[in-house]
Amino acid sequence: MTPENLIVERVEPGIQVIKISRPKALNALNTATLEELDEVLRSASSDASIRVVVLTGDGEKSFIAGADITEMQHKTPQQATEFAGLGHKVTKHLELMPKPTIAAVNGFAFGGGTEMAIACDFILASANAVFAQPEVGLGIIPGFGANVRLAKFVGLARAKEMIFSGRRVKADEAVAIGLANRVFPAEEFMARVLEVAQQISRNSHSAVACAKRILNESSESVGLTSKLDTEARAFGGLFGGGDQLEGMTAFVEKRKPGFEGL
Ligand code: CAA
């Protein structure tokens, strides 16, 4: 299958770069894109010739602007729960595959964008990177793992602040709070990311894979599936009308939402 919404490149022997490419929607993730990502990551996971996977966004402006709001707008609770489940399948590949995954965040990483990034082993940010979990402004909660993973990067109180407020976090602050490891100038971003990937790929593949497994086992990856399932059900439970429909319709109609009780 040739993906329509991804550009998959072998930049160096051993380094696979996956670019999300939906320029009209700032690389927002719809079902088709998530299915393609699932397929590409599944095959990367078992391909011994790939030593490091880099996830980034096509273009200069956006890494991933979140899940596709236009597609989500009219989902039922059941469909939204399944959609979150598909997002979780992808994030579990990134987190658990036996090779390092690097999020190269080169612009907007909103909602599902930050969630894909925090499922990777670590984040490298371009100077123009902006992170946010703006879901509550759409009448929903994050559905691709932020409720489970964000605190691992920034601590519980900062994760709560980001998720409750939806505020934007720029690259320098992202490094200061532990969300991103390093920030590189935009003009040399991919070259610097590839230097990091090369440094990893020159090491023992089996030792790096073993380190990843042990680091994951000694952190919150234990019990991951049941925590993500709980999130998917809570996410789906907010669909089918009310603030969710108002929030997403307001986005599509380019106006401010009028949430219940406001
Ligand atoms: N879904 C669908 N379309 C999107 C999108 C998204 N998440 N983000 C951007 N787009 C579309 C816009 O609708 C617009 O389309 P048109 O040209 O057809 O109008 C196009 O991309 C360009 O976007 P803007 O004109 O808004 O660009 P901007 O530079 O002015 O703003 C932005 C950029 C701040 C990222 C803004 O687009 C935005 O706020 N996007 C939504 C971000 C968001 O809320 N993401 C979370 C989604 S919910 C989620 O991810 C749930 C989950 O956890 C699974």
Side-chain angles (χ1 to χ4, degrees):
M1 172 194 80
T2 310
E4 286 181 15
N5 304 295
L6 307 177
I7 299 169
V8 183
E9 295 169 337
R10 193 68 75 95
V11 187
E12 306 263 337
I15 301 173
Q16 184 183 62
V17 176
I18 304 171
K19 289 183 185 170
I20 313 294
S21 183
R22 291 191 69 221
K24 285 190 203 143
L26 297 179
N27 303 332
L29 298 171
N30 60 2
T31 299
T33 310
L34 288 167
E35 283 171 346
E36 289 174 4
L37 260 177
D38 176 45
E39 180 70 35
V40 167
L41 291 169
R42 185 194 308 274
S43 102
S45 177
S46 57
D47 182 340
S49 72
I50 297 174
R51 291 171 161 253
V52 180
V53 172
V54 175
L55 181 69
T56 192
D58 192 23
E60 310 288 306
K61 191 172 168 183
S62 187
F63 172 67
I64 297 168
D68 190 307
I69 299 167
T70 312
E71 184 186 301
M72 283 188 297
Q73 188 183 1
H74 296 294
K75 282 194 188 299
T76 64
Q78 177 65 27
Q79 289 167 336
T81 304
E82 284 165 14
F83 184 62
L86 177 58
H88 288 154
K89 243 168 109 182
V90 173
T91 64
K92 281 198 271 184
H93 287 312
L94 291 166
E95 180 167 341
L96 302 174
M97 73 161 67
K99 47 199 83 196
T101 53
I102 301 174
V105 175
N106 58 330
F108 295 121
F110 279 24
T114 289
E115 292 175 293
M116 288 295 143
I118 58 178
C120 292
D121 292 311
F122 58 85
I123 297 172
L124 301 174
S126 164
N128 69 334
V130 189
F131 301 82
Q133 294 294 160
E135 287 88 346
V136 292
L138 293 163
I140 58 167
I141 59 167
F144 291 170
N147 304 290
V148 176
R149 294 189 179 97
L150 187 57
K152 197 163 64 173
F153 284 72
V154 302
L156 185 58
R158 284 201 179 94
K160 285 179 174 173
E161 188 204 339
M162 280 183 70
I163 291 172
F164 297 170
S165 70
R167 80 176 177 86
R168 298 178 183 187
V169 171
K170 291 186 180 168
D172 285 339
E173 185 187 355
V175 172
I177 65 176
L179 182 53
N181 282 15
R182 296 161 76 179
V183 54
F184 297 131
E187 54 284 5
E188 56 192 61
F189 182 57
M190 272 318 277
R192 301 289 298 273
V193 168
L194 290 175
E195 276 173 24
V196 176
Q198 278 159 357
Q199 194 174 15
I200 295 171
S201 74
R202 284 187 217 112
N203 294 325
S204 157
H205 180 49
S206 53
V208 170
C210 181
K212 176 165 175 170
R213 181 170 58 79
I214 299 301
L215 282 157
N216 277 347
E217 281 175 8
S218 55
S219 77
E220 288 85 348
S221 292
V222 174
L224 180 67
T225 297
S226 97
K227 291 178 199 165
L228 292 176
D229 286 349
T230 302
E231 180 189 72
R233 283 193 300 276
F235 176 80
L238 293 170
F239 278 68
D243 281 351
Q244 171 269 322
L245 188 57
E246 169 57 15
M248 294 193 180
T249 305
F251 176 79
V252 170
E253 294 176 354
K254 300 186 190 294
R255 61 169 172 82
K256 284 200 185 316
F259 290 131
E260 220 167 286
L262 280 186

PDB file of all heavy atoms in Angstrom, residues 85-111:
ATOM      1  N   GLY A  85      -9.473   4.641  20.033  1.00  0.00           N
ATOM      2  CA  GLY A  85      -8.783   3.345  20.047  1.00  0.00           C
ATOM      3  C   GLY A  85      -7.788   3.226  18.905  1.00  0.00           C
ATOM      4  O   GLY A  85      -6.689   2.691  19.070  1.00  0.00           O
ATOM      5  N   LEU A  86      -8.150   3.761  17.743  1.00  0.00           N
ATOM      6  CA  LEU A  86      -7.228   3.738  16.600  1.00  0.00           C
ATOM      7  C   LEU A  86      -6.012   4.634  16.878  1.00  0.00           C
ATOM      8  O   LEU A  86      -4.861   4.254  16.619  1.00  0.00           O
ATOM      9  CB  LEU A  86      -7.975   4.203  15.333  1.00  0.00           C
ATOM     10  CG  LEU A  86      -7.164   4.308  14.046  1.00  0.00           C
ATOM     11  CD1 LEU A  86      -6.521   2.969  13.675  1.00  0.00           C
ATOM     12  CD2 LEU A  86      -8.045   4.814  12.894  1.00  0.00           C
ATOM     13  N   GLY A  87      -6.272   5.813  17.438  1.00  0.00           N
ATOM     14  CA  GLY A  87      -5.152   6.691  17.830  1.00  0.00           C
ATOM     15  C   GLY A  87      -4.243   5.991  18.828  1.00  0.00           C
ATOM     16  O   GLY A  87      -3.011   6.072  18.738  1.00  0.00           O
ATOM     17  N   HIS A  88      -4.846   5.279  19.764  1.00  0.00           N
ATOM     18  CA  HIS A  88      -4.042   4.567  20.777  1.00  0.00           C
ATOM     19  C   HIS A  88      -3.191   3.457  20.165  1.00  0.00           C
ATOM     20  O   HIS A  88      -2.064   3.218  20.602  1.00  0.00           O
ATOM     21  CB  HIS A  88      -4.960   3.964  21.839  1.00  0.00           C
ATOM     22  CG  HIS A  88      -5.569   4.997  22.742  1.00  0.00           C
ATOM     23  ND1 HIS A  88      -6.757   4.814  23.388  1.00  0.00           N
ATOM     24  CD2 HIS A  88      -5.150   6.232  23.093  1.00  0.00           C
ATOM     25  CE1 HIS A  88      -7.042   5.878  24.113  1.00  0.00           C
ATOM     26  NE2 HIS A  88      -6.075   6.762  23.944  1.00  0.00           N
ATOM     27  N   LYS A  89      -3.742   2.782  19.139  1.00  0.00           N
ATOM     28  CA  LYS A  89      -2.961   1.737  18.454  1.00  0.00           C
ATOM     29  C   LYS A  89      -1.661   2.333  17.911  1.00  0.00           C
ATOM     30  O   LYS A  89      -0.574   1.781  18.042  1.00  0.00           O
ATOM     31  CB  LYS A  89      -3.778   1.200  17.271  1.00  0.00           C
ATOM     32  CG  LYS A  89      -4.149  -0.250  17.363  1.00  0.00           C
ATOM     33  CD  LYS A  89      -5.172  -0.585  16.310  1.00  0.00           C
ATOM     34  CE  LYS A  89      -4.605  -1.449  15.215  1.00  0.00           C
ATOM     35  NZ  LYS A  89      -5.566  -1.754  14.163  1.00  0.00           N
ATOM     36  N   VAL A  90      -1.815   3.515  17.291  1.00  0.00           N
ATOM     37  CA  VAL A  90      -0.646   4.185  16.711  1.00  0.00           C
ATOM     38  C   VAL A  90       0.333   4.604  17.808  1.00  0.00           C
ATOM     39  O   VAL A  90       1.542   4.382  17.714  1.00  0.00           O
ATOM     40  CB  VAL A  90      -1.094   5.409  15.871  1.00  0.00           C
ATOM     41  CG1 VAL A  90       0.105   6.220  15.413  1.00  0.00           C
ATOM     42  CG2 VAL A  90      -1.926   4.944  14.677  1.00  0.00           C
ATOM     43  N   THR A  91      -0.208   5.219  18.876  1.00  0.00           N
ATOM     44  CA  THR A  91       0.709   5.693  19.931  1.00  0.00           C
ATOM     45  C   THR A  91       1.406   4.517  20.614  1.00  0.00           C
ATOM     46  O   THR A  91       2.558   4.647  21.036  1.00  0.00           O
ATOM     47  CB  THR A  91      -0.015   6.563  20.988  1.00  0.00           C
ATOM     48  OG1 THR A  91      -0.994   5.780  21.686  1.00  0.00           O
ATOM     49  CG2 THR A  91      -0.655   7.795  20.366  1.00  0.00           C
ATOM     50  N   LYS A  92       0.727   3.377  20.703  1.00  0.00           N
ATOM     51  CA  LYS A  92       1.395   2.223  21.338  1.00  0.00           C
ATOM     52  C   LYS A  92       2.542   1.699  20.473  1.00  0.00           C
ATOM     53  O   LYS A  92       3.566   1.274  21.001  1.00  0.00           O
ATOM     54  CB  LYS A  92       0.371   1.117  21.642  1.00  0.00           C
ATOM     55  CG  LYS A  92      -0.427   1.437  22.901  1.00  0.00           C
ATOM     56  CD  LYS A  92      -1.113   0.209  23.471  1.00  0.00           C
ATOM     57  CE  LYS A  92      -2.470   0.037  22.870  1.00  0.00           C
ATOM     58  NZ  LYS A  92      -3.226  -1.080  23.458  1.00  0.00           N
ATOM     59  N   HIS A  93       2.385   1.738  19.152  1.00  0.00           N
ATOM     60  CA  HIS A  93       3.540   1.373  18.303  1.00  0.00           C
ATOM     61  C   HIS A  93       4.726   2.287  18.629  1.00  0.00           C
ATOM     62  O   HIS A  93       5.851   1.830  18.794  1.00  0.00           O
ATOM     63  CB  HIS A  93       3.223   1.571  16.818  1.00  0.00           C
ATOM     64  CG  HIS A  93       2.292   0.556  16.235  1.00  0.00           C
ATOM     65  ND1 HIS A  93       2.430  -0.796  16.415  1.00  0.00           N
ATOM     66  CD2 HIS A  93       1.204   0.710  15.422  1.00  0.00           C
ATOM     67  CE1 HIS A  93       1.467  -1.427  15.762  1.00  0.00           C
ATOM     68  NE2 HIS A  93       0.714  -0.530  15.157  1.00  0.00           N
ATOM     69  N   LEU A  94       4.446   3.603  18.676  1.00  0.00           N
ATOM     70  CA  LEU A  94       5.539   4.560  18.899  1.00  0.00           C
ATOM     71  C   LEU A  94       6.215   4.317  20.247  1.00  0.00           C
ATOM     72  O   LEU A  94       7.437   4.361  20.363  1.00  0.00           O
ATOM     73  CB  LEU A  94       5.004   5.998  18.839  1.00  0.00           C
ATOM     74  CG  LEU A  94       4.542   6.477  17.465  1.00  0.00           C
ATOM     75  CD1 LEU A  94       3.721   7.769  17.583  1.00  0.00           C
ATOM     76  CD2 LEU A  94       5.734   6.698  16.527  1.00  0.00           C
ATOM     77  N   GLU A  95       5.395   4.063  21.256  1.00  0.00           N
ATOM     78  CA  GLU A  95       5.959   3.913  22.602  1.00  0.00           C
ATOM     79  C   GLU A  95       6.650   2.563  22.804  1.00  0.00           C
ATOM     80  O   GLU A  95       7.681   2.486  23.474  1.00  0.00           O
ATOM     81  CB  GLU A  95       4.844   4.075  23.655  1.00  0.00           C
ATOM     82  CG  GLU A  95       5.366   3.922  25.078  1.00  0.00           C
ATOM     83  CD  GLU A  95       4.394   4.375  26.143  1.00  0.00           C
ATOM     84  OE1 GLU A  95       3.457   5.139  25.833  1.00  0.00           O
ATOM     85  OE2 GLU A  95       4.584   3.970  27.309  1.00  0.00           O
ATOM     86  N   LEU A  96       6.079   1.521  22.212  1.00  0.00           N
ATOM     87  CA  LEU A  96       6.521   0.172  22.592  1.00  0.00           C
ATOM     88  C   LEU A  96       7.385  -0.527  21.544  1.00  0.00           C
ATOM     89  O   LEU A  96       7.959  -1.581  21.833  1.00  0.00           O
ATOM     90  CB  LEU A  96       5.297  -0.700  22.916  1.00  0.00           C
ATOM     91  CG  LEU A  96       4.398  -0.151  24.042  1.00  0.00           C
ATOM     92  CD1 LEU A  96       3.140  -1.006  24.191  1.00  0.00           C
ATOM     93  CD2 LEU A  96       5.137  -0.067  25.371  1.00  0.00           C
ATOM     94  N   MET A  97       7.484  -0.016  20.328  1.00  0.00           N
ATOM     95  CA  MET A  97       8.270  -0.747  19.318  1.00  0.00           C
ATOM     96  C   MET A  97       9.736  -0.851  19.769  1.00  0.00           C
ATOM     97  O   MET A  97      10.245   0.019  20.485  1.00  0.00           O
ATOM     98  CB  MET A  97       8.160  -0.084  17.937  1.00  0.00           C
ATOM     99  CG  MET A  97       8.899   1.211  17.766  1.00  0.00           C
ATOM    100  SD  MET A  97       9.163   1.614  16.026  1.00  0.00           S
ATOM    101  CE  MET A  97       7.542   1.915  15.440  1.00  0.00           C
ATOM    102  N   PRO A  98      10.420  -1.930  19.365  1.00  0.00           N
ATOM    103  CA  PRO A  98      11.757  -2.167  19.926  1.00  0.00           C
ATOM    104  C   PRO A  98      12.851  -1.338  19.263  1.00  0.00           C
ATOM    105  O   PRO A  98      13.941  -1.839  18.988  1.00  0.00           O
ATOM    106  CB  PRO A  98      11.958  -3.663  19.666  1.00  0.00           C
ATOM    107  CG  PRO A  98      11.153  -3.929  18.438  1.00  0.00           C
ATOM    108  CD  PRO A  98       9.970  -3.007  18.489  1.00  0.00           C
ATOM    109  N   LYS A  99      12.545  -0.096  18.967  1.00  0.00           N
ATOM    110  CA  LYS A  99      13.567   0.812  18.439  1.00  0.00           C
ATOM    111  C   LYS A  99      13.151   2.219  18.793  1.00  0.00           C
ATOM    112  O   LYS A  99      11.953   2.499  18.961  1.00  0.00           O
ATOM    113  CB  LYS A  99      13.750   0.640  16.930  1.00  0.00           C
ATOM    114  CG  LYS A  99      12.491   0.607  16.127  1.00  0.00           C
ATOM    115  CD  LYS A  99      12.730  -0.015  14.759  1.00  0.00           C
ATOM    116  CE  LYS A  99      12.685  -1.521  14.804  1.00  0.00           C
ATOM    117  NZ  LYS A  99      13.232  -2.214  13.680  1.00  0.00           N
ATOM    118  N   PRO A 100      14.125   3.129  18.915  1.00  0.00           N
ATOM    119  CA  PRO A 100      13.797   4.477  19.360  1.00  0.00           C
ATOM    120  C   PRO A 100      12.922   5.232  18.360  1.00  0.00           C
ATOM    121  O   PRO A 100      13.103   5.112  17.148  1.00  0.00           O
ATOM    122  CB  PRO A 100      15.163   5.160  19.482  1.00  0.00           C
ATOM    123  CG  PRO A 100      16.132   4.055  19.626  1.00  0.00           C
ATOM    124  CD  PRO A 100      15.572   2.917  18.823  1.00  0.00           C
ATOM    125  N   THR A 101      11.974   6.002  18.901  1.00  0.00           N
ATOM    126  CA  THR A 101      11.123   6.866  18.083  1.00  0.00           C
ATOM    127  C   THR A 101      11.341   8.301  18.563  1.00  0.00           C
ATOM    128  O   THR A 101      11.267   8.585  19.767  1.00  0.00           O
ATOM    129  CB  THR A 101       9.641   6.466  18.220  1.00  0.00           C
ATOM    130  OG1 THR A 101       9.287   6.420  19.603  1.00  0.00           O
ATOM    131  CG2 THR A 101       9.375   5.097  17.599  1.00  0.00           C
ATOM    132  N   ILE A 102      11.616   9.173  17.605  1.00  0.00           N
ATOM    133  CA  ILE A 102      11.888  10.584  17.942  1.00  0.00           C
ATOM    134  C   ILE A 102      10.804  11.428  17.304  1.00  0.00           C
ATOM    135  O   ILE A 102      10.532  11.313  16.105  1.00  0.00           O
ATOM    136  CB  ILE A 102      13.261  11.035  17.374  1.00  0.00           C
ATOM    137  CG1 ILE A 102      14.395  10.167  17.928  1.00  0.00           C
ATOM    138  CG2 ILE A 102      13.510  12.512  17.678  1.00  0.00           C
ATOM    139  CD1 ILE A 102      15.763  10.458  17.300  1.00  0.00           C
ATOM    140  N   ALA A 103      10.166  12.293  18.096  1.00  0.00           N
ATOM    141  CA  ALA A 103       9.221  13.261  17.531  1.00  0.00           C
ATOM    142  C   ALA A 103      10.007  14.516  17.173  1.00  0.00           C
ATOM    143  O   ALA A 103      10.615  15.137  18.053  1.00  0.00           O
ATOM    144  CB  ALA A 103       8.126  13.593  18.538  1.00  0.00           C
ATOM    145  N   ALA A 104      10.025  14.848  15.885  1.00  0.00           N
ATOM    146  CA  ALA A 104      10.693  16.075  15.423  1.00  0.00           C
ATOM    147  C   ALA A 104       9.589  17.102  15.188  1.00  0.00           C
ATOM    148  O   ALA A 104       8.977  17.144  14.131  1.00  0.00           O
ATOM    149  CB  ALA A 104      11.476  15.788  14.144  1.00  0.00           C
ATOM    150  N   VAL A 105       9.326  17.902  16.212  1.00  0.00           N
ATOM    151  CA  VAL A 105       8.145  18.786  16.199  1.00  0.00           C
ATOM    152  C   VAL A 105       8.517  20.109  15.526  1.00  0.00           C
ATOM    153  O   VAL A 105       9.250  20.923  16.080  1.00  0.00           O
ATOM    154  CB  VAL A 105       7.596  18.985  17.628  1.00  0.00           C
ATOM    155  CG1 VAL A 105       6.447  19.990  17.623  1.00  0.00           C
ATOM    156  CG2 VAL A 105       7.124  17.643  18.190  1.00  0.00           C
ATOM    157  N   ASN A 106       7.990  20.284  14.323  1.00  0.00           N
ATOM    158  CA  ASN A 106       8.415  21.390  13.460  1.00  0.00           C
ATOM    159  C   ASN A 106       7.299  22.413  13.239  1.00  0.00           C
ATOM    160  O   ASN A 106       7.157  22.940  12.144  1.00  0.00           O
ATOM    161  CB  ASN A 106       8.879  20.824  12.098  1.00  0.00           C
ATOM    162  CG  ASN A 106       7.779  20.022  11.410  1.00  0.00           C
ATOM    163  OD1 ASN A 106       6.948  19.428  12.070  1.00  0.00           O
ATOM    164  ND2 ASN A 106       7.775  20.020  10.087  1.00  0.00           N
ATOM    165  N   GLY A 107       6.504  22.690  14.262  1.00  0.00           N
ATOM    166  CA  GLY A 107       5.422  23.672  14.130  1.00  0.00           C
ATOM    167  C   GLY A 107       4.318  23.323  15.108  1.00  0.00           C
ATOM    168  O   GLY A 107       4.592  22.849  16.223  1.00  0.00           O
ATOM    169  N   PHE A 108       3.050  23.511  14.683  1.00  0.00           N
ATOM    170  CA  PHE A 108       1.931  23.246  15.591  1.00  0.00           C
ATOM    171  C   PHE A 108       1.885  21.770  15.987  1.00  0.00           C
ATOM    172  O   PHE A 108       1.875  20.883  15.131  1.00  0.00           O
ATOM    173  CB  PHE A 108       0.594  23.585  14.924  1.00  0.00           C
ATOM    174  CG  PHE A 108       0.419  25.040  14.602  1.00  0.00           C
ATOM    175  CD1 PHE A 108       0.208  25.459  13.287  1.00  0.00           C
ATOM    176  CD2 PHE A 108       0.450  25.997  15.606  1.00  0.00           C
ATOM    177  CE1 PHE A 108       0.045  26.795  12.987  1.00  0.00           C
ATOM    178  CE2 PHE A 108       0.285  27.345  15.315  1.00  0.00           C
ATOM    179  CZ  PHE A 108       0.081  27.743  13.994  1.00  0.00           C
ATOM    180  N   ALA A 109       1.833  21.531  17.286  1.00  0.00           N
ATOM    181  CA  ALA A 109       1.584  20.175  17.810  1.00  0.00           C
ATOM    182  C   ALA A 109       0.419  20.338  18.774  1.00  0.00           C
ATOM    183  O   ALA A 109       0.607  20.520  19.977  1.00  0.00           O
ATOM    184  CB  ALA A 109       2.819  19.631  18.516  1.00  0.00           C
ATOM    185  N   PHE A 110      -0.780  20.336  18.220  1.00  0.00           N
ATOM    186  CA  PHE A 110      -1.977  20.593  19.014  1.00  0.00           C
ATOM    187  C   PHE A 110      -2.735  19.288  19.225  1.00  0.00           C
ATOM    188  O   PHE A 110      -2.824  18.451  18.327  1.00  0.00           O
ATOM    189  CB  PHE A 110      -2.885  21.597  18.281  1.00  0.00           C
ATOM    190  CG  PHE A 110      -2.467  23.035  18.458  1.00  0.00           C
ATOM    191  CD1 PHE A 110      -1.166  23.380  18.766  1.00  0.00           C
ATOM    192  CD2 PHE A 110      -3.400  24.058  18.316  1.00  0.00           C
ATOM    193  CE1 PHE A 110      -0.787  24.702  18.933  1.00  0.00           C
ATOM    194  CE2 PHE A 110      -3.031  25.389  18.483  1.00  0.00           C
ATOM    195  CZ  PHE A 110      -1.731  25.720  18.787  1.00  0.00           C
ATOM    196  N   GLY A 111      -3.349  19.147  20.389  1.00  0.00           N
ATOM    197  CA  GLY A 111      -4.204  17.986  20.646  1.00  0.00           C
ATOM    198  C   GLY A 111      -3.488  16.684  20.317  1.00  0.00           C
ATOM    199  O   GLY A 111      -2.432  16.353  20.878  1.00  0.00           O
TER     200      GLY A 111
END
